[in-house]
Amino acid sequence: MSRSASTPPTILSRLGSLYGRSLYRALLLVVFVGLAGPAAVGSYLLIGVQERAAVAAALDETLKRNAEILALGVQEPLWNLDPETARPLLDAMLRDPAVVMVEVHGPEGEVELRVRSPARPLGRVLSAERPVMVRGETIGTVRLEMDDYRSRQELRRKQRSYALVVVGQVAVSLLLIALLLRRRLLSPLRRLMRFSDRLARADFDTPLALSASDELGRLGQQMERMRLAIRDLFADIARREEQFRSIVNQVPGAVFRVRAGGAIEFVSDAIEDITGHPAERLMRATTHDWGDIVHPEDRRQYSQTVRHAARAGDAYQLEYRIIDAHGIERWVQESGQPQGLSGAAALDGAVRIDGIISDISERKHNEMRIEALLTEQGAILDNVMFGVLFVRQRRIVSSNRRCEVLFGYDEGQMVGQSTEILYPTKQDYEHTATTHYPLLAQRMDLGDERQLRHRDGSLFWCLMSGSALDPAHPNEGSIWVFADITERKLAEEKLR
């Protein structure tokens, strides 16, 4: 098993993390680099280069000066050929801790006197030679060696002192800058951040307490104006939403908005009365989940109708059954209008469908009961010996099969036609309106024997009687019964 060694974070990566984590820290880091960088460069140039050169020059000057003094001091002893009298001078020179060795040479270069420091040199040894001149004649030379260790020590002390001064200055500057940034930048920024957090939590009532008059103060004023504008906007939205919900609650049914083949974006609270499922739960669902509520026998028709409407962008209306949360079968009517793109992309959530779902279970059950009653009544009427018509506004609304056979029409052909087709002439049709309908308004049952017309135009004798459903409005509905009495009329004619 191999173990991957994690790379330790470098200084640059740590500085980058510090720089990107906080604006305050980033500013301090930039200020520190801006102060420490020039200070370090200045210290290097001043102490590392200039001071070192100055110390070296001072040491060289001291070396030359001491060599000159020594050359002057040994002139008389060498001229008098008594070099020993110069020894006290050499010993005095050696009292300088920087002096390593002093030599006096004769005219031939022989060493007349030599004095060496017992201490071992710790630094770099510098030397200088000077001729000893008397009246323009060289009578010897002097050699002086000096150690620069103490000069370097002095240079290091200066460097440390200067570094401490620079560090102190940088520290004081950073402290003052940090206090300034904390007061003028960090504290206002924290107030702005807390204010933005309150806005994110929809707290639009707490004002921004920022009294600065600088750029951050102007930013705070703009954010305060933004708070007031957002508060008014949300209040207006709340009012509009309340108005919208009030309107939606007055709609007979549940208002919805869905993405075709996607999410259910909105559905009103009335959906719970229809399906038994809360609106909040359905708004977390999709149209596929709604398809699971649709009755299995109606799912295919429902899916095809909605898909076709979404692709074509046409409004639709359909009735289908659902199974509510309690397992009860209900009839609903859905009306929808697609909004947005159409075509193949309509089923990928690109099309919104706005519509209404209404519970029509009671109406459907009533219709089925009425249909059953009508079927039963139709069966009864179809088997009686008389023709029966239901007339409204002198138009045939329904007829039994016996009536259609009596007048020679196929099944359903009489429905919707004017009752004028029953009379031999137009005058007979109009005469009936002026004589029969006033009698219907007086609640009188009519019984009239007259000739009526077959579909083929032939005439036959018929006994007709009528009764208004509402005598106050006889034209709004009346029942007419017809019986063929042609044979009886012919028999009466023969008896005469």
Side-chain angles (χ1 to χ4, degrees), residues 254-258 266-268 316 334-336 353-357:
V255 179
F256 68 87
R257 168 174 284 182
V258 301
F266 173 79
V267 63
S268 62
Y316 68 92
E334 179 177 329
S335 302
I353 298 179
D354 298 333
I356 300 175
I357 295 177

Side-chain angles (χ1 to χ4, degrees), residues 455-475:
R455 179 185 181 186
D456 60 6
S458 62
L459 304 179
F460 70 100
W461 281 96
C462 190
L463 172 63
M464 58 181 293
S465 62
S467 177
L469 298 179
D470 182 3
H473 305 90
N475 278 323

